[in-house]
Amino acid sequence: MVPHAAQKEGQSFDKLRTGGGGAMKLDAPAAANPIDRMRVIGQPVDRVEGPLKTTGQARYAYEAQETAPGAAYGHILGAAIAKGRIVTLDVATARAMPGVLAILTSANAGPIGPRMSLVAPVLGGPEIAHYGQPVAVVVAETLEQAIAATYAIKPEYAVEPGAFDLAAAAPDAPRHEKPGGAAPATLGDFASAFATAPITVDATYSTPDHSHAMIEPQATAALWDGDALTVWTSNQMVAWSVGSLAGALDMPREKLRVIVPWVGGGFGAKLFVHADAVLAALAARAIGRAVKLCYTRAQTFSASTHRPATIQRIRLGATHDGVLTALAHESWCGNLPGGFAEAAMAPTKLIYAAPHRLFAHYLAQLDLPEGHAMRAPGEASGMMALEVAMDELAERLDIDPIELRIRNDTQVDPEHPEKRFSQRELIACLRTGAEHFGWAQRSPLPHARREGRHWLGMGVAAAFRGNLHGKSGARVRIDGDGGVTVFTDMTDIGTGSATIIAQTAAEMMGLEMDQVRVQLGDSRFPAAAGSGGQFGANSATAGVYAACVLLRGAAARQLGFNADAAEFVGGMVRSGNREVPLVQAAGLDVTDAIEFGDVVRKHVQATFGAHFVEVAVDGDTGEVRVRRMLAVCAAGRILNPKTARGQIIGSMTMGLGSALMEEIVVDTRHGVFLNHDLAGYEVPVHADIPEQEVIFLDAPDPYSSPMQAKGVGELGLCGVGAAIANAVYNACGVRLRDYPISADKLVELL
Ligand code: MOS
């Protein structure tokens, strides 16, 4: 624990600075600093943009007013085949339709460079990489005209056979190196340890393709001014998208401005630059006007990315006492050639001790729309398998599943025992949750509690997700009214970034929340880590902290204080018995950034949790209703318990979807995603969500940043699906290892 209000401010915290300009560098654990006062930080502050969003005033990319007069509308035509070639693409009829201004295809769009991280070409033709790959964009005076003309384009295709079935492709899939982390992938002698273990589990699980299903689809408005381009787009990572889009358009970064206004969710779909941004820019250049281009819901399935399906085999060998001696996790997934591989075994490498270990990863080539990161890539899928296997092992051992996890806890990286976890509260999360949830009332035997035609059961799973960092900058200015404005390219994708950034500046400068203004999401502002990998909250606020440290020093000096002794409180700067209003330093305007040195790699850094679920299974229909959910999380200092809780209950909801309903259905004959709207791709609605409770353990981590925070946005998802699967088993005695656990599958087995 860190000292709070008692410590003398200003004495040690800016020693973080390496001196001589450049960014603040975290190369030692955080010392006491003004954030520790927790006067604003750590409070359940309402979202600063809440009123804007609930009254419909928050602007999203497609609504950019700067392009309002004279913007034209684009609409994308996607390939109607999954693999093959376009033989003819005649756009003459469409071009002659009312309002049509231009039609771009691979024949006239010019070369398009590769985008970062993605492998599918933005515009297909003549070769088609996957179903739904954009093959034309029609630009017209109105959206309706663009859509109508798109329907008039009827390409002729030559279809070629493709690979669309992961289960069929898996046996021949080549091994993919780097199975979710650094080597070694194997340790000890797994084969003999498993063969001689008295109690074993050998089970195979599968997870289907998932859609991010965020509310706002990919959307961009693009406007050229000579050779300079501005895009308003819905993206999680501003600085990264500038590089990616500049590469695709083969233009200098300096000529490109990316503005990300409010974002209606992303979940990883918007880590990347998609066709909407590239094609809006090309179309706007072609017609010399602003162009707006938005995906349809169907295009968010087929022309974006999705979480790829996995097949996972887990083998556990244990002593009669429940100590793991052998642990293997092998995973198969598929993607376009050269594409991303879902590292489902990543969490297994770190969560439990076992001397003999084997991890392998196989990546099949599939001709489906591109797979990539979705909320907690690796862990989310991996924990859905591992944490069920642990439940199966507990049953075979006749040991309580919580006790089994406690017996196999490790405080060091099992592959690199010299590396400890900076913080690891998995056991505390499990114990706290057990107590709070009433775990003692669970029957260890399945099929034991009945209520009418419903079987009741409880399940538990561990939650685990890494803690990553990214360099983050911010500019902070003291305004004429004595408040401050923070500028950073950080995005708020619905997570609360703007709010915790304002809290950070308020805490550092001794101001109230309503005295802080936050401007986000513009590539003209200092680059932050962006919203991804649950690193945004800690990294971006640490960047604001760094800028505020610099601003405090500048303000103190300007107002005649010893910078090390000055306190900032209640809009005043004070030291001894002298105090001066901060407003007297109005106009001061500084920029700084934080970099994360080796100290963040000295330990393993991760976030932990435990999920508890109670379900009722209808014995006649196989319908599963979740009745209660509890998550206990340890994820550094919680900067705002209200926004953090929102992240966790959102992830628990997503986890319920992945356990019980979410599945992109692949037509394995034609390579088409059959369900591509929110009627056919089922996600939980309010009526599916029961009582949800979240408990945060107080766990500031000085190795993470001066904020001592970590991320929570992905942690909450990891393990939920397994906890539900385990509860279903406990209720009705059926172990369904093929997600989702839908009523049609379950009823067959009841
Ligand atoms: Mo996350 S899948 O890095 O948005």
Side-chain angles (χ1 to χ4, degrees):
M1 285 295 300
V2 285
H4 284 175
Q7 101 271 346
K8 278 259 211 162
E9 239 183 82
Q11 286 194 322
S12 51
F13 69 91
D14 59 0
K15 294 224 175 76
L16 280 173
R17 179 166 300 284
T18 49
M24 174 183 284
K25 189 165 185 190
L26 186 76
D27 48 18
N33 72 53
I35 295 296
D36 303 334
R37 294 188 293 190
M38 298 194 54
R39 187 182 56 87
V40 191
I41 287 291
Q43 303 304 316
V45 174
D46 286 345
R47 294 258 286 257
V48 293
E49 85 285 17
L52 281 181
K53 285 182 175 170
T54 51
T55 59
Q57 296 176 79
R59 290 244 166 75
Y60 293 79
Y62 205 68
E63 303 169 301
Q65 296 301 292
E66 295 82 347
T67 65
Y73 293 82
H75 191 67
I76 289 171
L77 175 68
I81 64 165
K83 193 166 169 66
R85 304 178 72 250
I86 297 176
V87 181
T88 58
L89 181 57
D90 182 358
V91 298
T93 307
R95 182 69 185 83
M97 286 176 66
V100 174
L101 300 165
I103 299 178
L104 299 185
T105 68
S106 66
N108 66 357
I112 300 176
R115 295 163 294 164
M116 290 179 190
S117 267
L118 299 181
V119 296
V122 170
L123 206 48
E127 298 297 324
I128 298 301
H130 62 84
Y131 178 85
Q133 183 183 26
V135 296
V137 58
V138 177
V139 191
E141 292 290 349
T142 69
L143 179 59
E144 292 75 11
Q145 289 169 332
I147 292 171
T150 305
Y151 280 117
I153 305 174
K154 302 194 189 312
E156 280 179 51
Y157 298 98
V159 179
E160 291 163 21
F164 310 121
D165 185 345
L166 175 61
D172 298 323
R175 199 178 161 109
H176 185 74
E177 294 314 319
K178 286 211 199 164
T186 59
L187 213 64
D189 180 354
F190 172 79
S192 11
F194 185 72
T196 55
I199 308 285
T200 60
V201 167
D202 180 351
T204 298
Y205 306 85
S206 54
T207 63
D209 297 283
H210 285 155
S211 173
H212 300 87
M214 64 285 168
I215 294 175
E216 181 202 22
Q218 281 81 1
T220 299
L223 179 64
W224 290 85
D225 179 7
D227 62 352
L229 170 65
T230 303
V231 296
W232 292 261
T233 192
S234 190
N235 191 285
Q236 297 172 217
M237 318 277 290
V238 170
W240 203 40
S241 66
V242 170
S244 190
L245 186 54
L249 298 171
D250 190 23
M251 66 182 288
R253 289 182 66 117
E254 307 73 55
K255 293 283 185 184
L256 175 57
R257 182 177 181 191
V258 170
I259 297 174
V260 174
W262 298 112
V263 175
F267 305 123
K270 295 172 182 169
L271 291 168
F272 314 109
V273 164
H274 291 290
D276 60 304
V278 180
L279 297 179
L282 291 175
R285 188 161 64 191
I287 65 164
R289 284 166 60 178
V291 169
K292 297 184 178 198
L293 185 48
C294 180
Y295 274 13
T296 62
R297 178 57 58 182
Q299 288 165 351
T300 69
F301 284 75
S302 61
S304 167
T305 49
H306 67 279
R307 189 200 301 281
T310 66
I311 298 170
Q312 303 176 51
R313 181 186 184 194
I314 294 190
R315 282 173 288 172
L316 305 173
T319 65
H320 287 289
D321 294 337
V323 176
L324 284 170
T325 52
L327 171 61
H329 192 161
E330 294 163 282
S331 180
W332 288 261
C333 70
N335 213 336
L336 293 168
F340 159 94
E342 183 76 51
M345 76 293 298
T348 312
K349 286 165 70 79
L350 286 165
I351 191 165
Y352 299 121
H356 303 285
R357 311 164 73 83
L358 182 151
F359 301 98
H361 196 186
Y362 302 89
L363 180 58
Q365 191 171 311
L366 294 181
D367 303 296
L368 292 173
E370 187 160 1
H372 215 302
M374 179 168 144
R375 199 176 201 171
E379 277 92 337
S381 306
M383 296 293 274
M384 288 172 80
L386 174 69
E387 287 296 287
V388 175
M390 288 296 279
D391 202 67
E392 300 198 33
L393 181 64
E395 188 191 23
R396 261 175 228 182
L397 288 160
D398 196 19
I399 291 178
D400 182 89
I402 293 177
E403 180 57 29
L404 176 65
R405 289 171 173 87
I406 291 171
R407 286 188 198 173
N408 291 286
D409 188 55
T410 174
Q411 292 294 321
V412 300
D413 176 344
E415 291 177 17
H416 305 95
E418 71 285 359
K419 248 181 135 172
R420 295 186 65 78
F421 284 87
S422 60
Q423 298 253 345
R424 178 165 166 129
E425 285 96 353
L426 176 58
I427 293 177
C429 291
L430 288 161
R431 290 210 166 116
T432 304
E435 167 88 26
H436 202 84
F437 199 69
W439 184 251
Q441 283 144 44
R442 169 186 178 265
S443 158
L445 291 177
H447 227 252
R449 283 172 67 208
R450 185 157 200 170
E451 188 188 276
R453 57 184 227 203
H454 292 104
W455 294 97
L456 305 186
M458 288 187 197
V460 69
F464 172 90
R465 174 69 176 157
N467 184 46
L468 304 171
H469 301 82
K471 181 180 175 180
S472 281
R475 173 184 155 208
V476 188
R477 181 184 70 199
I478 302 176
D479 297 322
D481 62 358
V484 299
T485 304
V486 182
F487 305 86
T488 161
D489 87 351
M490 181 63 186
T491 54
D492 187 330
I493 63 171
T495 46
S497 315
T499 308
I500 57 175
I501 283 171
Q503 286 175 267
T504 303
E507 191 76 82
M508 289 299 290
M509 303 311 298
L511 297 171
E512 298 303 319
M513 280 296 284
D514 62 6
Q515 295 177 282
V516 180
R517 290 159 286 264
V518 176
Q519 294 206 30
L520 300 180
D522 187 330
S523 59
R524 294 206 171 151
F525 302 155
S531 300
Q534 78 169 14
F535 50 67
N538 179 54
S539 300
T541 56
V544 174
Y545 166 88
C548 287
V549 169
L550 197 61
L551 185 60
R552 287 168 57 115
R557 279 187 296 278
Q558 177 167 326
L559 301 176
F561 291 97
N562 175 340
D564 282 342
E567 275 186 284
F568 289 69
V569 68
M572 308 297 284
V573 185
R574 70 178 179 218
S575 180
N577 52 14
R578 181 168 168 258
E579 65 175 23
V580 178
L582 181 65
V583 68
Q584 290 190 17
L588 276 181
D589 189 339
V590 308
T591 296
D592 206 355
I594 190 157
E595 285 175 345
F596 297 91
D598 285 342
V599 67
V600 302
R601 283 170 286 279
K602 211 159 140 185
H603 298 85
V604 193
Q605 292 202 17
T607 58
F608 295 90
H611 288 286
F612 292 80
V613 173
E614 185 169 46
V615 301
V617 179
D618 187 318
D620 294 341
T621 67
E623 184 194 24
V624 178
R625 301 293 301 175
V626 175
R627 292 212 170 162
R628 290 194 294 139
M629 304 178 88
L630 166 68
V632 183
C633 301
R637 172 181 280 153
I638 298 303
L639 300 176
N640 179 333
K642 188 178 273 186
T643 57
R645 178 177 181 277
Q647 286 299 292
I648 302 294
I649 63 172
S651 327
M652 290 158 86
T653 304
M654 192 180 250
L656 187 154
S658 66
L660 301 179
M661 50 190 80
E662 287 191 53
E663 175 180 24
I664 297 179
V665 179
V666 181
D667 181 332
T668 54
R669 299 161 304 165
H670 302 300
V672 176
F673 288 168
L674 290 172
N675 51 345
H676 44 237
D677 58 34
L678 294 181
Y681 183 84
E682 209 186 332
V683 296
V685 298
H686 276 91
D688 295 309
I689 299 305
E691 178 189 311
Q692 290 175 312
E693 213 182 329
V694 183
I695 297 173
F696 291 110
L697 301 185
D698 185 33
D701 188 342
Y703 289 94
S704 185
S705 87
M707 305 301 294
Q708 307 208 29
K710 293 177 179 172
V712 297
E714 299 185 327
L715 172 67
L717 176 58
C718 302
V720 188
I724 293 172
N726 295 339
V728 168
Y729 177 76
N730 183 245
C732 67
V734 173
R735 200 62 94 170
L736 188 51
R737 300 185 184 85
D738 175 35
Y739 291 101
I741 303 169
S742 48
D744 58 323
K745 292 185 213 164
L746 202 53
V747 76
E748 295 285 322
L749 301 167
L750 279 172

